[in-house]
Each structure stands twice: as C-alpha cells, then as structure tokens.
Amino acid sequence: MVSLLQIFIENAVLSLAEALSGSTVGVFTASADGDTTVTGLPSLVSSTPTTGTIGNISRTNVFWQNQSANVSSDFSANGYTTMRSLYLLCSRGDEVPDTIVLTRAAFANFLNNATNTFRLNEPLSRQAVDEGMVEMGFPHAMFHGAVVIFDDGVPANQGYFLNLRKKYTQLVVQEDRSFAIKGLISPADRDALTGHAIWAGNQCVTSMPRQGHLLNADTD
C-alpha cells in the first residue's frame, strides 16, 4: 500500500512538471496573467516588442523591448545571417544569449544547413581513433557559444534567444511550494485518500534587451 501511494505521488509530481514545461499552463503558454498559469515566453519575449504591456511596464519604453528578427520562411537563405544578427542585438559586453530554444522543425533546419555551411574539423578522440570513426551526429549543437535545443512546447515559427546564466531570465519559485505534497486526507463520502501537489511561482525577465525572438525559422 505504501509503495502504491508513493508511485501515485511520483506520478502526480511528474505530471505537474510536464504541465509546467508545456504550452497550456507552463513556460510556453501565451498567457501573461492568471492564477493558474505561468507567464509564458510568447508573452515575455514578444514578436511585437514595441506594443503592449508586460510586468505592468509598457513596451513603448525602449529599455523594456526585447530584440526580434525574422528569417522570412527561408532558413537555407536567411537562417544563419538572421540568427547572427539577433545574437548581436541581444549582446552587451559579456552579457550574451547562452540558450537558444527552437521548434523541432527550426532545429532540424539548423542542423541540416550546418553541414552545407561549415567545414568541420573535429579532433579525433582516443576512443574515435581506436574505433576508426568520428562522431558527426552533432550531440551538442551550439551557436556562438549558446546551447541550441528544441522543445515541442515552442509555438510554431517562433524561437527564443535567452540569457539565463546572467540571471535575466528566471523561473522564480515560492519557498516551500516547489512540487510540495500537502497532507493527505480521507473524504467523508468515499474510501480514498486525496491531497494536492503544489507549485507556486512564475517566469520572469529582468532585462528585456538581452532576450531575442526569432520568427519564421520553421521552413527551409
């Protein structure tokens, strides 16, 4: 019975974590307000950075505008040039994007065009020498030092250049509310135990100009 209850609790936490990483109530939701949703990246790092309000601050203020660039639906022709321009727009001294999150389609374009754009000269590791082979599967994709990943929660034709290590993009969690399990109770009308798995916090950006929004990179 104890083992079964532990499994149920672990499943509840995993389900909550999956929801938090998704596009319905999580970090990729289009919602900017609400008690049951996280302020999502589509709201924080906008495709229209000069209009609207986020965090009770108007985007008409230049200091509260993220950067934006458009691949124009032809990644093979414009992808790397547009990404490089956006990277530079987001950079100030050592404050540079360190994480780039793309859709699955845009990430595939990024990898496919890499083999046509760059000459690769990878040093052979000892293991590769021993096996007579070189790993060319791009296990760690990077762009100007920024890690490039994909997430199926990213809305179509959108991508994000984020500054995480310099603390400008954060997932702030309330103390004692990070996947906390509240006490289990037995309802009066059934032979069962019920309880709540609780997470309380929000996604925050503290320097908009250090973040970038990439448009229309899904088509090669």
Side-chain angles (χ1 to χ4, degrees):
M1 183 65 180
V2 173
S3 297
L4 183 59
L5 181 60
Q6 180 178 348
I7 291 173
F8 286 157
I9 292 174
E10 290 174 352
N11 286 339
V13 171
L14 289 173
S15 296
L16 184 57
E18 184 176 359
L20 184 60
S21 67
S23 57
T24 301
V25 298
V27 295
F28 293 110
T29 178
S31 173
D33 301 294
D35 295 333
T36 57
T37 60
V38 171
T39 302
L41 282 174
S43 295
L44 290 169
V45 186
S46 175
S47 60
T48 55
T50 62
T51 61
T53 300
I54 191 72
N56 293 323
I57 302 176
S58 173
R59 292 188 187 273
T60 56
N61 295 292
V62 175
F63 68 84
W64 205 234
Q65 295 172 4
N66 61 264
Q67 311 296 339
S68 183
N70 195 332
V71 176
S72 300
S73 299
D74 189 349
F75 196 97
S76 59
N78 308 315
Y80 289 121
T81 300
T82 304
M83 290 179 66
R84 185 175 299 112
S85 297
L86 183 58
Y87 179 91
L88 293 175
L89 285 172
C90 294
S91 301
R92 181 181 64 182
D94 65 344
E95 298 174 342
V96 297
D98 52 60
T99 305
I100 299 173
V101 189
L102 305 174
T103 63
R104 184 184 293 263
F107 185 75
N109 290 339
F110 177 84
L111 296 184
N112 291 337
N113 284 275
T115 59
N116 297 326
T117 305
F118 301 112
R119 291 183 177 273
L120 301 176
N121 182 18
E122 294 191 0
L124 292 174
S125 67
R126 180 177 298 277
Q127 181 180 3
V129 172
D130 293 342
E131 296 179 357
M133 60 180 292
V134 179
E135 171 58 55
M136 297 295 287
F138 297 98
H140 304 292
M142 304 188 76
F143 185 79
H144 289 285
V147 176
V148 184
I149 62 174
F150 73 90
D151 194 301
D152 289 329
V154 176
N157 290 305
Q158 299 189 43
Y160 303 98
F161 283 50
L162 305 176
N163 187 304
L164 299 175
R165 298 177 193 146
K166 290 293 181 180
K167 71 181 182 181
Y168 291 141
T169 308
Q170 304 177 57
L171 192 64
V172 180
V173 183
Q174 182 179 341
E175 187 177 2
D176 299 326
R177 290 292 184 274
S178 183
F179 304 108
I181 306 298
K182 301 297 290 184
L184 301 176
I185 63 172
S186 181
D189 59 346
R190 64 177 68 95
D191 184 13
L193 290 175
T194 64
H196 291 90
I198 297 177
W199 186 91
N202 208 351
Q203 188 168 215
C204 304
V205 168
T206 55
S207 181
M208 284 294 181
R210 305 283 74 79
Q211 322 300 325
H213 186 280
L214 186 69
L215 271 171
N216 296 320
D218 287 11
T219 304
D220 196 1

